[in-house]
Amino acid sequence: MRYAVSVLPADPVEVRVTSGEADTVTVAAVMPSMGHALPPVGTVQADPGHFVAEERMFVMDGVWELSITVSGAQGQETISISTVVDR
């Protein structure tokens, strides 16, 4: 792994790159149980290593699969995580 991240599944999603130096981060979300798939969303860098999605992502509560693509000096990597959204 080139990068490590922590994710706050708020709306908008917040990603902290905890290992590696990221230049850009995108986030795509899929809700497998309902067949929802959202296109990748860009982020803005709020602070070094802290990225916030440019758009809201979650259309409903439940289990979501996030694909977080991180790009930087170490190359590009996609990290997949599951999260539960319960507002």
Side-chain angles (χ1 to χ4, degrees), residues 8 10-16 25-27 41-47 49-57:
L8 176 62
D11 216 358
V13 172
E14 295 185 30
V15 177
R16 289 196 185 271
V25 173
T26 59
V27 182
V41 171
T43 63
V44 294
Q45 190 168 7
D47 295 303
H50 180 206
F51 297 83
V52 179
E54 294 177 317
E55 301 173 22
R56 297 176 62 105
M57 300 189 70

Side-chain angles (χ1 to χ4, degrees), residues 12-32:
V13 172
E14 295 185 30
V15 177
R16 289 196 185 271
V17 179
T18 58
S19 179
E21 294 183 26
D23 295 326
T24 62
V25 173
T26 59
V27 182
V30 173
M31 185 180 218

Side-chain angles (χ1 to χ4, degrees), residues 28 40 47-48 54 56 64 66 68 73 79-80:
D47 295 303
E54 294 177 317
R56 297 176 62 105
W64 287 86
L66 300 178
I68 301 153
I79 301 165
S80 298

Side-chain angles (χ1 to χ4, degrees), residues 48-82:
H50 180 206
F51 297 83
V52 179
E54 294 177 317
E55 301 173 22
R56 297 176 62 105
M57 300 189 70
F58 302 118
V59 295
M60 64 187 336
D61 291 352
V63 178
W64 287 86
E65 302 289 330
L66 300 178
S67 295
I68 301 153
T69 302
V70 182
S71 299
Q74 293 97 340
Q76 180 175 309
E77 181 174 7
T78 300
I79 301 165
S80 298
I81 65 160
S82 292

